[in-house]
Amino acid sequence: GCEKGNQNTASIEQAIKKYEQATTLEGVVRSNGGPIKAGTIKVTDKYEELVASTAIQNSGHYSVKIPADTFLPIVLTFYPETAEGENLITAVVHPGITKYDINPLTTSIAKKALAMGGYTHANMVRAAEGTANVPDANKTTAGFRGDPTTQYGGWH
């Protein structure tokens, strides 16, 4: 007969991604009221170990250098200078993208992706679909048309 005993035993392997060389990530930190001009960004790996950190510049812009051989995913967390501010995050899952804004929407998407099982491309897209308003013209039955990282939610 047929070997039905092994049907659902194959595991899905996810390719391990990392920065092969030192890479600078940059973007703008925003609240719903506009750019945030003071605070710190800390970059952590999946074990919550500190990879790098930087201070926000007056324009709300940040730039942080990620060391070579840093494995993805990593999380960029904004820590405000004042106690009444909130921490904001964005998750990085693609080594080829270097611009990552950090705002309430990216925070929501990252938290949803983590709740779905982790910071993977598939979870980030699913979280963005459920969070951002996506025009029907930009959806297909297979998912997003075009680049979901720049169109849906800003976690680029």
Side-chain angles (χ1 to χ4, degrees):
C2 296
E3 293 182 28
K4 293 184 180 180
N6 292 337
Q7 279 184 328
N8 291 323
T9 59
S11 64
I12 297 173
E13 295 279 330
Q14 181 169 326
I16 295 174
K17 297 178 183 178
K18 72 175 183 175
Y19 288 108
E20 298 292 337
Q21 58 191 16
T23 302
T24 300
L25 302 181
E26 61 181 340
V28 176
V29 180
R30 297 181 190 276
S31 67
N32 290 329
I36 297 174
K37 298 184 180 189
T40 303
I41 306 259
K42 292 186 180 179
V43 182
T44 54
D45 63 16
K46 70 178 185 177
Y47 303 109
E48 298 183 13
E49 296 289 327
L50 185 65
V51 173
S53 65
T54 189
I56 291 182
Q57 300 163 3
N58 281 341
S59 63
H61 186 266
Y62 75 90
S63 177
V64 62
K65 191 169 188 174
I66 307 302
D69 297 322
T70 298
F71 288 92
L72 298 177
I74 57 176
V75 176
L76 283 65
T77 305
F78 163 72
Y79 295 92
E81 273 189 359
T82 59
E84 65 269 2
E86 66 175 307
N87 291 358
L88 300 171
I89 65 172
T90 194
V92 176
V93 297
H94 295 287
I97 300 171
T98 58
K99 183 173 180 351
Y100 291 90
D101 288 346
I102 304 171
N103 56 55
L105 185 57
T106 64
T107 301
S108 178
I109 291 169
K111 286 180 178 179
K112 284 185 180 184
L114 184 60
M116 291 176 184
Y119 300 121
T120 64
H121 174 76
N123 287 348
M124 295 294 284
V125 169
R126 284 180 35 224
E129 283 180 319
T131 303
N133 182 12
V134 181
D136 287 337
N138 288 338
K139 289 184 181 178
T140 66
T141 55
F144 286 117
R145 179 181 309 139
D147 183 4
T149 61
T150 57
Q151 291 179 342
Y152 311 110
W155 49 272
H156 49 89

